[in-house]
């Protein structure tokens, strides 16, 4: 009987190790995807606590290159999009909330325009778990739109009064 218990214990331990390894691999893959995606990603929890950010978000929203929290990570100031996150958290539907924000980056002449899209995250039981916000840099697209509008305006003016 002792051999059977030892055998079952060894099998259970082996199962736990493989399940843990599988979970670690999946978590690693998910983290790698989030951290290497070109768009910015912010995941906030129940109390608007920032849980996950990737490199673009750190670049756009870090207060200072030297400012770090007690864990050695850069402090992130997401006050520009906190209203969007709060609005999304309070909406019980599956609506995607979006907004454009303009930020000033140190060392850059022009403002950076970001298109933010936030969605509510729910757990398996349908309870609110947080908000995921994806930010895309649309500065170049807005600049092209502005140039196109100016060109059309100039051409229209020249056609009216040559």
């Amino acid at each position: 009987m002792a051999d059977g218990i030892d055998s079952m214990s060894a099998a259970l331990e082996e199962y736990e190790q493989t399940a843990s390894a599988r979970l670690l691999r999946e978590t690693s893959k998910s983290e790698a995807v989030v951290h290497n995606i070109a768009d910015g990603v912010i995941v906030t929890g129940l109390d608007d606590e920032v849980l996950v950010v990737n490199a673009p978000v750190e670049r756009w929203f870090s207060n200072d290159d030297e400012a770090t929290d007690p864990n050695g990570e850069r402090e992130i100031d997401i006050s520009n999009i906190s209203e969007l996150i709060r609005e999304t958290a309070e909406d019980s539907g599956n609506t995607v909330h979006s907004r454009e924000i303009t930020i000033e980056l140190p060392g850059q002449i022009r403002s950076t325009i970001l298109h933010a899209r936030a969605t509510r995250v729910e757990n398996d039981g349908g309870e609110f778990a947080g908000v995921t916000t994806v930010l895309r840099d649309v500065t170049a697209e807005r600049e092209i739109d502005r140039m196109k509008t100016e060109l059309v305006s100039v051409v229209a003016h020249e056609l009216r009064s040559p």
Side-chain angles (χ1 to χ4, degrees), residues 7 18 28 40 44 53 57 62 66 73 86 96 102 111 126 134 157:
S7 174
T18 58
S28 272
T44 53
V53 296
V57 170
S62 65
E66 304 300 319
E73 297 177 5
R86 196 171 18 266
V96 175
T102 303
S111 300
V134 177
H157 176 73

Side-chain angles (χ1 to χ4, degrees), residues 90-160:
E90 292 170 356
D91 182 6
S92 60
N94 287 332
T95 308
V96 175
H97 296 263
S98 64
R99 187 160 300 138
E100 276 193 6
I101 60 170
T102 303
I103 59 173
E104 303 293 329
L105 297 177
Q108 289 196 356
I109 298 170
R110 294 194 176 160
S111 300
T112 299
I113 302 168
L114 302 174
H115 182 78
R117 295 174 50 99
T119 55
R120 192 177 149 97
V121 177
E122 297 178 350
N123 62 19
D124 293 336
E127 298 171 347
F128 174 72
V131 174
T132 300
T133 308
V134 177
L135 298 124
R136 184 168 175 257
D137 186 350
V138 294
T139 307
E141 288 92 342
R142 295 304 174 261
E143 182 65 19
I144 290 169
D145 286 345
R146 185 189 63 75
M147 291 169 49
K148 182 174 66 174
T149 302
E150 286 179 5
L151 176 68
V152 169
S153 176
V154 168
V155 169
H157 176 73
E158 289 298 321
L159 288 174
R160 272 185 259 137

Side-chain angles (χ1 to χ4, degrees), residues 26-108:
E26 292 302 317
T27 302
S28 272
K29 277 195 259 180
S30 297
E31 286 179 1
V33 167
V34 168
H35 289 289
N36 290 308
I37 195 167
D39 293 338
V41 177
I42 302 171
V43 179
T44 53
L46 296 173
D47 300 324
D48 293 339
E49 174 190 9
V50 176
L51 302 175
V52 177
V53 296
N54 64 353
V57 170
E58 286 182 351
R59 187 174 61 251
W60 294 328
F61 295 102
S62 65
N63 289 329
D64 189 300
D65 287 337
E66 304 300 319
T68 58
D69 68 7
N71 298 329
E73 297 177 5
R74 287 203 261 181
E75 290 184 16
I76 304 296
D77 177 18
I78 59 167
S79 59
N80 294 3
I81 59 170
S82 60
E83 182 181 329
L84 173 67
I85 293 170
R86 196 171 18 266
E87 177 184 305
T88 305
E90 292 170 356
D91 182 6
S92 60
N94 287 332
T95 308
V96 175
H97 296 263
S98 64
R99 187 160 300 138
E100 276 193 6
I101 60 170
T102 303
I103 59 173
E104 303 293 329
L105 297 177
Q108 289 196 356

